[in-house]
Amino acid sequence: MPLSAPAAAREILTRLHDVMGSRSATPAKLGAVVQIIGEALNSEVCSIYLLRDGLLELFATRGLSQAAVHVTKLAPGEGLIGVIAANVETLNLDEAAAHPDFAYRPETGEDRFHSFAGVPIIRREQAVGVLAVQHTEPHRYEDVEIEALQTVAMVLSELIANTGLADEAGASPTRAQTTAAKTILGLRLVDGMGAGHAVYHQPRITIEHTVAEDTEAERHRVYGAFDKMREQIDRMTSQAEFGVDGEHREVLETYKMFAYDEGWSRRINEAIDSGLTAEAAIERVQQRTRMRMRQIDDPLLADRMHDLEDLSNRLLRIVSGQMGTAAQLGLRKDTILIARNLGPAELLEYDRRRLKGVVLEEGSLTAHVTIVARAMGVPVLGRMRNVRREVSEGDLLLLDSNSSTLLVRPTAAMEEVFEAKLALRQKRRAVFAALKSEPPVTKDGHRLAVMVNAGLRDDVAALDLTGADGIGLFRTEFQFLVSATLPQRERQQRLYRDVLDVAGDRPVTFRTVDIGGDKALPYLNGDGADEENPAMGWRALRLALERDGLMKAQARALIDAAGGRALNIMFPMVSEPWEFDEARALFEAQRDWIASRNRMLPSQIRYGAMLEVPALAEQLDLLLPKLDFLSIGTNDLTQFLFAADRANPKLAERYDWLSPSILRFIRRIVDPARDAGVDLAVCGEMGGRPLEALALIGLGIDRLSITPAAVGPIKAMIRSIDRSAVMAEMETLLARPPRDLRGALAHWAGEHGVELA
Ligand code: PEP
Ligand code: MG
């Protein structure tokens, strides 16, 4: 009766263990390995081929002519050995010569052998060699024997790692492609260009030992890791807003299904039975799944595979204790960061000087991580589902989000083109920079206001660099996001004071903390922890009015920081006028308190609201008399108007800012605000895009607060237009909107000499 697969592998591994631990040199070890495997599987031939200088070279054999060792060499894809390596697949044949790829090598003397089985020796998902057995009898090897071979191949990969015997880069055509230059397309999320080496946000786990010393101990480790992982997934599913931005319910449900999948844990257990360590067992099962999936060309399954990979990596991280992200390990050189998705706080952990770009497998235009990246000036490409397959850690990458491309391992010619483009871009930036002292005045003499959005201390420098009119939106929650604990009042005050100092006489609008939604704070997850729909949940002003201790501290910090200067306070997510009243009253009470302590008060406090919840627009007549200013937050407004989650990558391209619904909605606000003497601005991402900004100006919006990098292009656009002509055109377009309003406006802009960068 044949042994079970684990028992067969175990028997071999036990014997291999001694060989691996011996002090002999690697070639001698390989000689011993082929003897052991040959004997255990009762195979006349057992051979090891390793990839060296791009060819699969016979390194050790039992049964073939010894004269062939280091003489027989096959290219990836050539002969059965080459096919196994190229496709990273297993072959099991009763008649080797009948296979169309069979290539006879006389020096080996292999013509006597009929049956053949070979498995790839895999390192980093690529074949770096092949382990093959042959037999004179024409028979197929049993599944248990193949399993045993695969397990042994895994151990061999450890043996040959770091010996320098095999090429670092593998042999599969996927590898051949991945060593070749490649262009992958993505969705442009943050404009810009950047060059750097690929770093995965979740670094690949290095498996130190594959053969177990104590199987029971390994089993316990894996049980413990499973428990921990399931706990994590359960927590993620029940608190979908914390730490898992963009990972949506569907993904989490699939995660959960895999996490509890009995088949998966059983297979890992069997791999442990065969003598592997917990890490090697997880990887072994993962390899097997990868091999199977490679044969199935189904995008849906590929997606699921992706989830399983993720989970398998999570399990590996837990079991190996290698939990850190690349940010914690530190970036050593210029980097393009790759992640499935990131939270804004996770991105902020990276060293800005080394971070040259971000590639997200998911991602969407108005997710906060995108906004943070924009604020950091880091270009981002999103929706790159295949990046993991195409890019290895350390690969050189050239990211050009303007053309939505990522060049992987570029050729010298590609690098040259990239450099030339970069130089051109820098030249254009220089042209924009030259505009910094020019005011944003239209050709018909209308002075608009162009301000910047900011949130980090360093952002404030953008005021001088761009010549912007002020800070129209200072997102105070960014300080909370980058902090591991709630920032104390003194720390807040220091930041606000610094910002006002740098701004000088240019106005700054501080928005009170807007946390919740995709800006989750792990240290504030109390009551809101299990919200089904956090973007519409207990966030921003709703949270701040209830946890008023937080807002009181912030109010004091802001009022003290302003001491003697004007202070502009803006409340986010106001949904009804009474919320504005309450927030304002809270501030006024803090002002009185500070006055009672005889501390210096601001010269003036102006209060404003954000209009991002559509319901508020229905009560404008009640709200406007209370306000000094109103700012339209098109990011949230769009998600609520269209009922489309701003962080959901599947909806990232579905709705257009240049849609009649949004434009007509905004137009309704303009006249009442002007009549009430309330300054009206737009501070969402929409205003930073030239064509969108053109439309907004055409609706009568005179104040934009935008990402700093957009100030130059937007000023250039403003200085190229005739405002009254744009207004007339928008009137026409909105009266009878064409299906493609964007196209129509772009066409008009082209004909009227509008500068659209
Ligand atoms: C908005 O919603 O448009 C906005 C400016 O605020 P945030 O993006 O920070 O939610
Ligand atoms: Mg908002």
Side-chain angles (χ1 to χ4, degrees):
M1 202 180 79
L3 286 169
S4 70
R10 187 176 187 83
E11 190 186 308
I12 304 175
L13 286 201
T14 313
R15 295 180 61 191
L16 282 186
H17 189 243
D18 300 336
V19 174
M20 310 245 307
S22 76
R23 299 171 71 97
S24 45
T26 312
K29 283 183 183 169
L30 292 180
V33 169
V34 291
Q35 290 302 339
I36 292 170
I37 300 169
E39 276 167 29
L41 297 186
N42 213 357
S43 247
E44 284 128 303
V45 178
C46 177
S47 316
I48 293 172
Y49 293 80
L50 296 181
L51 190 72
R52 183 143 74 169
D53 300 331
L55 293 176
L56 292 147
E57 181 175 322
L58 181 63
F59 259 73
T61 185
R62 144 190 160 124
L64 296 184
S65 162
Q66 292 304 316
V69 172
H70 298 305
V71 172
T72 300
K73 293 177 186 175
L74 295 137
E78 183 190 5
L80 301 179
I81 298 296
V83 166
I84 292 168
N87 299 347
V88 201
E89 69 177 2
T90 294
L91 285 183
N92 183 7
L93 309 167
D94 46 11
E95 187 51 73
H99 192 282
D101 288 307
F102 178 75
Y104 175 56
R105 285 300 161 92
E107 72 274 11
T108 60
E110 64 184 335
D111 47 333
R112 296 184 290 121
F113 307 108
H114 292 273
S115 50
F116 170 98
V119 299
I121 300 170
I122 302 170
R123 190 143 183 85
R124 305 215 166 99
E125 295 174 42
Q126 306 296 330
V128 291
V130 171
L131 172 65
V133 286
Q134 289 169 274
H135 208 276
T136 37
E137 292 282 306
H139 80 282
R140 270 178 183 257
Y141 285 84
E142 305 268 349
D143 282 352
V144 291
E145 293 171 313
I146 298 294
E147 293 256 324
L149 273 181
Q150 288 172 340
T151 303
V152 170
M154 172 144 190
V155 173
L156 281 180
S157 97
E158 178 197 335
L159 178 66
I160 60 172
N162 310 320
T163 56
L165 282 183
D167 295 350
E168 263 294 304
S172 65
T174 39
R175 186 65 218 175
Q177 283 158 13
T178 51
T179 47
K182 180 136 204 161
T183 305
I184 350 184
L185 291 178
L187 173 68
R188 150 186 169 187
L189 294 180
V190 178
D191 276 351
M193 297 175 76
H197 294 271
V199 168
Y200 279 89
H201 174 59
Q202 304 279 18
R204 186 186 287 275
I205 304 300
T206 33
I207 299 181
E208 310 263 351
H209 298 292
T210 50
V211 182
E213 297 282 342
D214 175 350
T215 293
E216 273 319 299
E218 297 302 318
R219 206 186 306 286
H220 270 104
R221 293 179 64 218
V222 108
Y223 282 156
F226 259 103
D227 283 348
K228 222 180 205 159
M229 181 190 67
R230 287 171 180 164
E231 227 172 75
Q232 285 179 359
I233 302 296
D234 289 348
R235 209 175 324 124
M236 277 159 82
T237 338
S238 64
Q239 313 176 0
E241 78 277 40
F242 290 113
V244 285
D245 303 280
E247 283 176 344
H248 303 287
R249 197 144 291 277
E250 191 191 322
V251 172
L252 286 173
E253 288 305 328
T254 317
Y255 264 28
K256 201 163 174 173
M257 196 182 79
F258 282 134
Y260 283 93
D261 179 38
E262 287 302 323
W264 185 35
S265 48
R266 181 174 36 76
R267 283 191 292 278
I268 292 177
N269 237 317
E270 281 173 7
I272 289 182
D273 282 341
S274 72
L276 294 176
T277 58
E279 287 88 343
I282 297 166
E283 176 62 20
R284 165 87 186 88
V285 170
Q286 194 53 17
Q287 270 183 12
R288 199 184 316 160
T289 318
R290 262 185 226 127
M291 275 201 227
R292 293 223 175 99
M293 299 304 277
R294 232 175 238 128
Q295 277 135 27
I296 309 170
D297 187 17
D298 178 335
L300 263 181
L301 274 180
D303 263 9
R304 295 290 76 91
M305 178 63 196
H306 197 96
D307 295 337
L308 185 58
E309 283 278 344
D310 246 27
L311 215 54
S312 194
N313 290 339
R314 183 180 287 269
L315 193 61
L316 262 180
R317 278 200 301 278
I318 296 173
V319 88
S320 65
Q322 299 172 42
M323 302 290 282
T325 65
Q328 279 131 33
L329 299 175
L331 301 181
R332 279 185 209 97
K333 40 190 174 179
D334 285 356
T335 294
I336 304 285
L337 184 70
I338 303 174
R340 181 178 181 135
N341 219 334
L342 285 173
E346 286 176 307
L347 179 62
L348 285 165
E349 276 175 16
Y350 283 92
D351 178 352
R352 287 171 85 171
R353 288 162 307 170
R354 297 255 161 95
L355 189 62
K356 300 297 173 193
V358 174
V359 171
L360 297 177
E361 292 167 70
E362 299 187 342
S364 71
L365 212 50
T366 53
H368 277 103
V369 63
T370 310
I371 292 174
V372 170
R374 207 170 280 133
M376 289 165 78
V378 176
V380 184
L381 276 177
R383 314 228 60 200
M384 306 197 76
R385 298 292 290 173
N386 290 335
V387 70
R388 232 173 257 259
R389 210 176 308 150
E390 311 288 358
V391 178
S392 303
E393 184 99 22
D395 279 348
L396 178 63
L397 302 176
L398 304 178
L399 186 152
D400 177 2
S401 65
N402 299 28
S403 61
S404 308
T405 51
L406 181 73
L407 301 177
V408 188
R409 295 171 300 276
T411 59
M414 283 167 152
E415 279 193 64
E416 245 172 62
V417 173
F418 184 86
E419 293 293 333
K421 229 171 143 182
L422 194 63
L424 202 69
R425 191 181 149 83
Q426 267 150 4
K427 229 165 149 182
R428 271 191 29 225
R429 280 171 75 158
V431 172
F432 291 139
L435 280 180
K436 92 176 183 195
S437 38
E438 303 292 332
V441 180
T442 61
K443 286 203 303 199
D444 49 347
H446 205 84
R447 172 67 158 88
L448 304 179
V450 176
M451 295 166 294
V452 287
N453 294 342
L456 302 169
R457 187 182 299 264
D458 296 353
D459 293 348
V460 186
L463 273 178
D464 287 333
L465 292 174
T466 61
D469 292 314
I471 298 179
L473 165 65
F474 189 88
R475 291 181 164 102
T476 59
E477 66 276 5
F478 279 13
Q479 188 187 25
F480 289 63
L481 283 172
V482 293
S483 182
T485 54
L486 199 69
Q488 295 305 305
R489 188 170 56 82
E490 292 72 25
R491 256 174 69 207
Q492 295 181 38
Q493 187 176 326
R494 225 174 302 134
L495 171 66
Y496 306 149
R497 188 182 313 117
D498 290 351
V499 171
L500 287 169
D501 286 350
V502 176
D505 53 7
R506 290 163 293 196
V508 179
T509 299
F510 289 100
R511 179 176 72 181
T512 59
V513 277
D514 180 5
I515 39 189
D518 68 343
K519 286 180 284 196
L521 297 181
Y523 51 83
L524 242 194
N525 67 354
D527 317 350
D530 48 10
E531 287 185 315
E532 288 260 325
N533 198 338
M536 295 191 189
W538 192 63
R539 59 172 280 208
L541 197 58
R542 302 164 182 180
L543 180 153
L545 285 175
E546 212 168 299
R547 288 250 177 130
D548 62 358
L550 191 84
M551 181 114 116
K552 279 180 187 158
Q554 186 172 34
R556 286 185 192 177
L558 282 162
I559 295 167
D560 273 333
R565 297 177 277 201
L567 182 62
N568 299 302
I569 300 296
M570 177 157 77
F571 302 117
M573 289 283 290
V574 178
S575 310
E576 294 211 87
W578 67 262
E579 293 173 339
F580 174 82
D581 293 337
E582 272 199 16
R584 184 193 160 116
L586 186 148
F587 260 76
E588 290 288 288
Q590 299 317 304
R591 197 192 59 149
D592 293 347
W593 185 86
I594 287 172
S596 73
R597 297 283 183 286
N598 291 325
R599 298 213 291 260
M600 202 195 310
L601 290 176
S603 57
Q604 177 198 22
I605 306 185
R606 296 172 78 238
Y607 294 99
M610 285 196 70
L611 195 152
E612 43 190 349
V613 178
L616 192 63
E618 295 299 329
Q619 302 200 48
L620 274 185
D621 54 332
L622 305 175
L623 177 76
L624 285 169
K626 304 168 187 285
L627 300 182
D628 293 309
F629 59 91
L630 181 67
S631 193
I632 304 177
T634 49
N635 304 334
D636 277 311
L637 181 65
T638 312
Q639 83 165 338
F640 296 134
L641 269 183
F642 276 117
D645 182 353
R646 66 194 265 186
N648 186 336
K650 290 202 187 99
L651 301 174
E653 293 160 281
R654 194 177 175 100
Y655 301 107
D656 193 345
W657 274 316
L658 293 181
S659 89
S661 309
I662 294 175
L663 297 172
R664 284 179 168 182
F665 187 95
I666 295 175
R667 186 177 59 175
R668 281 172 49 204
I669 323 280
V670 175
D671 289 347
R674 193 193 42 239
D675 295 347
V678 169
D679 281 344
L680 178 65
V682 166
C683 64
E685 302 308 300
M686 178 180 177
R689 297 164 74 103
L691 196 61
E692 278 82 344
L694 178 71
L696 290 170
I697 293 166
L699 299 178
I701 298 284
D702 288 343
R703 303 170 70 79
L704 297 172
S705 188
I706 57 182
T707 188
V711 171
I714 295 293
K715 266 198 197 178
M717 182 275 287
I718 289 173
R719 294 174 63 82
S720 73
I721 61 169
D722 185 304
R723 181 172 176 265
S724 55
V726 185
M727 291 185 84
E729 174 62 11
M730 284 310 291
E731 187 77 42
T732 312
L733 285 176
L734 287 189
R736 307 184 80 226
R739 171 132 196 211
D740 178 13
L741 204 152
R742 172 177 292 278
L745 184 61
H747 179 76
W748 183 90
E751 295 209 318
H752 289 77
V754 179
E755 255 194 55
L756 297 173

